[in-house]
Amino acid sequence: MKRIGVLTSGGDSPGMNAAVRAVVRAGVANGLEVFGVERGYQGMIEGAIRPLDARSVSGIVNRGGTILKTARSKAFLEPEGRVKAAEQLAAHGIEGLVVVGGDGSYRGAAALYQEHGIRCVGLPGTIDNDIGGTQYTIGFDTALNIATEALDRIHDTADSHDRIFFVEVMGRHSGFIAIMSAIAGGAEEVLTPEEPSDIPGLIARMHDCRTRGKTSMIVVVAEGDDAGGAVDIAKRVEKESDFKDVRVTIIGHLQRGGSPTAFDRILASRMGVRAVEALLAGESGVMVGIENQQMVVRPLSDSWEKKSLFDPDLLRVVRVLGV
Ligand code: F6P
């Protein structure tokens, strides 16, 4: 193997640049030529592929977003799209690929390997932390810290006005950011997509909190909660209870931008190096994860078959600490 490619795909996450840098530099250190594919699989189909040398990735370890840009490609979901993508890789002499993204991006990589024999290694890049085969994904720690900081700020104003706040964090299918930020930010309650939400039960617990002397409260809501987003839930609580001075904050894409934390930079750097080593060792159809501080290599299918879930006991921790 002489030439490899690297791309970022799906929703961006802080630390993707650190991963790209690590793949490029580990490739160069091992005598490989490395190419960057722009805008994920869409750019691959269109031939948006350029060489990257060690210097071209200087000064990006601390930058959010992705210098390669990212996209969700509809064309790549079709076999014809993948034929075009494989042709572009062949035209550039690229024999191996590192794909940084979520499980949708991994499915694309698996198809590319099965249909066209292109060796692929996945790196988990998403703020949602919901990919099987790894305990942490690149970007989760940064997003969690942003959500926690937002909760700290909300806490100040909620306390000053004796108000109830519903704070919506990201996570269409995953409550990782919600549950962890609820603990770190000292929220009274949390609603996640993993647990069916019981609004009368929530109201009853909020009343209990008030009886115990709480004058302000924060309820963290994951955007994909089954009872709706924070706006819907706040309206329902206002209607069905005597809590009236209620406010809503949606943190949104703020959680996806900005400089990655040291944890995410280190995770991405270690994973990038391991991905290149895996390709050089002839591995394919695999992803790099972290388990108990160690880099591990797992089948790509682990990412969607063994979906990563938070420990349900964390819900109990939120409620015990909200006493
Ligand atoms: O998967 C990452 C994520 O940020 C989710 O938490 C969120 O639901 C989704 O992407 C938002 O996607 P978009 O940026 O396309 O609106």
Side-chain angles (χ1 to χ4, degrees), residues 11-12 72 126-128 170-173 177 223 253 256:
D12 65 350
R72 294 183 172 112
T126 168
I127 63 166
D128 292 343
M170 271 189 163
R172 211 158 17 211
H173 308 293
I177 296 177
E223 65 172 320
H253 288 78
R256 288 236 302 254

Side-chain angles (χ1 to χ4, degrees), residues 166-212:
F166 288 82
V167 181
E168 185 177 301
V169 298
M170 271 189 163
R172 211 158 17 211
H173 308 293
S174 165
F176 263 105
I177 296 177
I179 192 102
M180 297 301 192
S181 66
I183 294 173
E188 277 66 29
E189 283 289 335
V190 59
L191 302 177
T192 68
E194 288 84 350
E195 296 284 321
S197 293
D198 160 23
I199 302 301
L202 170 73
I203 292 170
R205 289 193 301 275
M206 288 169 69
H207 275 129
D208 286 351
C209 277
R210 192 165 57 186
T211 313
R212 291 194 303 270

Side-chain angles (χ1 to χ4, degrees), residues 251-269:
I251 310 176
H253 288 78
L254 282 174
Q255 290 156 102
R256 288 236 302 254
S259 189
T261 57
F263 181 91
D264 276 330
R265 297 181 201 189
I266 295 164
L267 182 68
S269 300

Side-chain angles (χ1 to χ4, degrees), residues 9 13 16 99-106 122-138 140 174 176 271 287-291 298-309:
S9 167
S13 67
M16 278 185 162
V99 175
V100 190
D103 58 354
S105 312
Y106 284 9
L123 296 189
T126 168
I127 63 166
D128 292 343
N129 208 42
D130 59 347
I131 297 185
T134 186
Q135 287 173 336
Y136 292 102
T137 59
I138 298 165
F140 167 64
S174 165
F176 263 105
M271 286 181 162
M287 59 173 283
V288 177
I290 185 167
E291 266 175 36
R298 302 276 182 249
L300 276 177
S301 54
D302 275 14
S303 68
W304 57 85
E305 282 170 8
K306 300 183 177 170
K307 196 171 159 57
S308 182
L309 297 169

